[in-house]
Amino acid sequence: MKRQIPLLIVIILGFIFVIHTFVPHKISQDFFDWYQDWIKAMSPFAVFLGIMSLLMVHGTKIARRATNWQFSIVTLSALVFTAFAGFMWGTQEGTPYMWLFAHVQMPMSSTMFSLLAFYIASAAYKAFRAR
């Protein structure tokens, strides 16, 4: 039940937004506007939860000197520096925050997606080969 309900919510919302994209109607536009307002209200809580989770996980690693705890220091330092850059200089083009986004975040994102594609392709190859 813990897994089916969130999955059902995601599937239903996915279909609703696909319908909204291909069949623009006042009802779907009203729902989309309501959903956007709701997301704007809820996103600060999600960000706070994510930051707290990051601090708890990596703070525990640093305190216990777990394996590769030095990378946790790098992770928390990057979090603090990125937040500082965003709050100090804003998110306009040419600011340190946008430089970090363009030259650090985007390449890491591309790397993760390419690794994911390779992993899926290799898993599919192994699955078909096992037959």
Side-chain angles (χ1 to χ4, degrees):
M1 204 60 160
K2 287 182 181 179
R3 193 170 169 186
Q4 285 87 5
I5 292 176
L7 189 60
L8 188 64
I9 291 170
V10 168
I11 289 171
I12 290 171
L13 285 174
F15 280 128
I16 288 172
F17 290 128
V18 167
I19 291 168
H20 167 73
T21 302
F22 292 110
V23 185
H25 191 271
K26 183 172 177 5
I27 294 172
S28 68
Q29 187 61 44
D30 290 344
F31 177 76
F32 183 75
D33 292 340
W34 171 82
Y35 184 77
Q36 289 286 67
D37 291 341
W38 188 78
I39 289 297
K40 287 176 188 173
M42 294 305 294
S43 61
F45 299 106
V47 169
F48 177 73
L49 185 64
I51 290 171
M52 289 306 298
S53 175
L54 201 66
L55 289 173
M56 287 172 57
V57 167
H58 290 284
T60 303
K61 269 189 173 183
I62 292 169
R64 293 184 180 168
R65 302 271 197 246
T67 307
N68 295 327
W69 62 273
Q70 299 88 351
F71 297 123
S72 293
I73 292 175
V74 172
T75 301
L76 293 179
S77 300
L79 171 71
V80 169
F81 182 73
T82 304
F84 177 76
F87 286 127
M88 281 299 289
W89 294 286
T91 57
Q92 292 82 21
E93 195 63 37
T95 60
Y97 178 81
M98 287 309 291
W99 185 90
L100 283 170
F101 183 78
H103 294 93
V104 177
Q105 178 63 36
M106 292 298 286
M108 284 193 308
S109 216
S110 300
T111 302
M112 288 303 296
F113 281 121
S114 63
L115 287 172
L116 179 63
F118 176 76
Y119 177 73
I120 290 172
S122 65
Y125 173 76
K126 289 177 185 177
F128 288 128
R129 191 168 171 226
R131 280 182 141 195

